[in-house]
Amino acid sequence: MAARPHRRLTLVADPGFPAELAQRVAPELPEALARGLPAAGRWDVDVVSERLVVVEQAVTRLSPDLVGNGRQPGRAVSVALTDQPQRVHTRVVIATANPEGGIALVSLPGLGAHSLGKRLAEMVVMLTGELVGNDAPEVVKRGPRSLRRVAEPSERDIRFEGSGLAARVRLLAGMVRANRPWRLVPQLSGAFAGALATAAYVVVSAFLWRIADRAGPLRLALTNLFAVVAMVAWLIAKHRLWERPSDRGARRLAALYNVVTAVSLAAGVLCLYAGVLVLSFLGEVLLVRSSIFQESLGHAVGWKDYAAIAWLAASMATVGGAIGSGLDSDEIAREAAYGYRQRQRSRDLREESRCTGDDEEVGARGEQH
C-alpha cells in the first residue's frame, strides 16, 4: 500500500485579530483537511504572523509575493488571512485562490461576525482543495448558499464572492467584529469615572426625579439615543477618526470605514452606558427609601420608577460626565478606524523596505492587486 503524501499548509495572518483567529483554528485544521480532502494526504499546519498589504478592489491576479515568511517549497501551500475588506465593483469578495502560485487569500470580514472559527475552517479547506487541484465538491456544497465561485476565462485567479444585501450586511458585521470594539471599554475608564459622578448627583436630586417621572418612555429613549450619539461624535472628533478622502474613487470605501468606526465606538459607549445604568439603579435601591420617592413624586412608586430615574441618570451622565474625558489613548481609538490601520500597514512596510533595502519585494507585495 502506497504511503499517503505529506503536505504542509501555512496560515499567514495579519497581526492582531487575524493572527489570533488563525492560532485558534490551526489545531483543528489537519483533521478537517483530512476529512474534506482525503485524496490529498496528511497535513501539517503552521501559523505565521506578518503584516500584509491588501487593497480593497480585487481586480487582478493574486501575487505569490503577498506573503514572505509563509512561503514554503515542495508540497506546501499558503492561505493568507487579512481583516481588510475586498470587493470587485460592488460585489463582496470573501476569498481568492491562485492555484498556480499555491496561495490563497481570505478576507475575514466577508465571513461575518459569528461562528468565525467554523466558517474560516470550512473556507480554508475549500481553498486548499483549489490549490492542490481537488475540487472538493462536498466541501463547496456545505458552504454558505450565497457564496459564488467565479473562475473567469480572462483571469487565472478563482474568487469566492458573496451576493446580495446579506453579503454586505455580513461584511459590515465582520468589520465591526474584526475591530474588537470591547477593547475600547477599558479605555473609557476615565469617562466612566466622570459619568458615575454625574449619575450620583441625579440619583439624589429630587428635582431630576420629577423630570424622569414625567418624561415617559419615549422621551427617555430619545435622551438615551442623544447621549450615545453625542458621545460617539465627540470621540470621533477628538481623536480625528473620520475619513475625508479627496479622491472621488476612495469616498465609497471611506463611507464604509466611517460606518464601521461609528458602530464600533457605539458598542463601546453602550457598554459604558449599561454599566452606569446598572450602578445607578443599584444606588437608588440601596440609598433611597421608597417613602422618600413617594413624598417627592406624589404617588406610590415601584421598580419602573426606579428604572426611569436610573435611565435618565445614565443619559445625563454620558453627556455631562463622560464627553470631556474621551479615550485614554489615541492609538487605541484609531484601532477602531479601518483607514488608519491600512495606512499604518503601508507605513510599516515602507519602513521595513528602508531598513532592509528590499524595496522591490515590498513594492510587489504592496501592489499585489
Side-chain angles (χ1 to χ4, degrees):
M1 181 176 178
R4 300 176 68 194
H6 202 82
R7 296 179 180 270
R8 180 174 297 277
L9 167 67
T10 302
L11 298 180
V12 186
D14 265 325
F17 173 67
E20 292 175 10
L21 185 60
Q23 292 286 357
R24 196 174 77 204
V25 171
E28 65 187 65
L29 283 177
E31 182 180 348
L33 288 164
R35 186 171 59 250
L37 306 170
R42 296 175 297 159
W43 290 89
D44 291 328
V45 178
D46 297 326
V47 177
V48 174
S49 178
E50 68 174 54
R51 186 77 66 179
L52 305 174
V53 174
V54 181
V55 298
E56 183 240 359
Q57 284 290 342
V59 294
T60 59
R61 189 182 180 193
L62 183 68
S63 170
D65 289 330
L66 170 65
V67 299
N69 297 331
R71 284 180 289 186
Q72 299 282 348
R75 293 180 176 272
V77 294
S78 298
V79 177
L81 309 179
T82 182
D83 59 359
Q84 172 70 21
Q86 286 206 299
R87 295 186 297 178
V88 171
H89 305 301
T90 59
R91 300 191 303 275
V92 176
V93 176
I94 300 172
T96 309
N98 178 357
E100 184 178 316
I103 184 172
L105 173 69
V106 180
S107 174
L108 295 177
L111 297 177
H114 65 89
S115 303
L116 274 181
K118 178 183 177 182
R119 291 184 179 183
L120 176 60
E122 290 178 353
M123 181 61 68
V124 169
V125 173
M126 189 187 308
L127 292 171
T128 304
E130 299 283 356
L131 297 180
V132 300
N134 187 325
D135 292 336
E138 294 303 317
V139 176
V140 174
K141 287 177 183 177
R142 289 199 299 268
R145 293 182 180 179
S146 60
L147 192 65
R148 189 165 68 102
R149 184 181 185 274
V150 179
E152 298 181 0
S154 59
E155 300 179 8
R156 297 181 182 180
D157 281 0
I158 300 167
R159 292 196 307 272
F160 292 89
E161 300 176 356
S163 59
L165 178 62
R168 288 190 281 273
V169 171
R170 271 199 309 272
L171 176 66
L172 179 62
M175 290 176 71
V176 173
R177 173 67 176 79
N179 259 358
R180 297 177 291 180
W182 56 87
R183 295 181 66 212
L184 297 172
V185 176
Q187 295 299 320
L188 289 167
S189 57
F192 188 67
L196 285 180
T198 305
Y201 170 73
V202 177
V203 166
V204 298
S205 172
F207 173 71
L208 293 174
W209 296 347
R210 290 191 290 272
I211 291 179
D213 183 55
R214 290 166 174 77
L218 179 58
R219 287 181 183 273
L220 290 173
L222 291 175
T223 305
N224 184 169
L225 178 62
F226 172 78
V228 173
V229 170
M231 183 63 174
V232 170
W234 173 258
L235 292 174
I236 289 173
K238 182 178 180 181
H239 297 282
R240 300 183 297 279
L241 303 180
W242 204 251
E243 298 282 334
R244 295 186 180 89
S246 55
D247 188 332
R248 179 179 299 178
R251 288 175 187 166
R252 179 180 295 177
L253 179 61
L256 176 63
Y257 287 169
N258 287 336
V259 170
V260 173
T261 298
V263 173
S264 299
L265 289 174
V269 172
L270 283 171
C271 289
L272 177 144
Y273 189 99
V276 175
L277 178 65
V278 170
L279 291 177
S280 298
F281 183 82
L282 293 177
E284 290 176 87
V285 172
L286 294 174
L287 298 177
V288 184
R289 293 183 177 181
S290 59
S291 59
I292 298 176
F293 273 144
Q294 287 183 206
E295 182 180 345
S296 177
L297 301 180
H299 61 76
V301 297
W303 69 267
K304 291 184 179 179
D305 300 288
Y306 281 91
I309 295 170
W311 197 355
L312 179 64
S315 298
M316 294 186 65
T318 301
V319 175
I323 278 185
S325 300
L327 292 167
D328 297 338
S329 167
D330 280 345
E331 289 302 314
I332 293 294
R334 288 168 184 165
E335 282 294 309
Y338 254 80
Y340 174 82
R341 291 214 301 274
Q342 182 66 2
R343 290 191 296 273
Q344 187 63 44
R345 287 191 182 105
S346 300
R347 284 195 294 269
D348 288 348
L349 284 175
R350 284 197 297 269
E351 184 64 28
E352 288 177 15
S353 71
R354 283 194 294 269
C355 293
T356 62
D358 198 6
D359 294 335
E360 292 184 2
E361 180 179 349
V362 171
R365 291 166 64 190
E367 297 296 327
Q368 48 89 23
H369 278 295

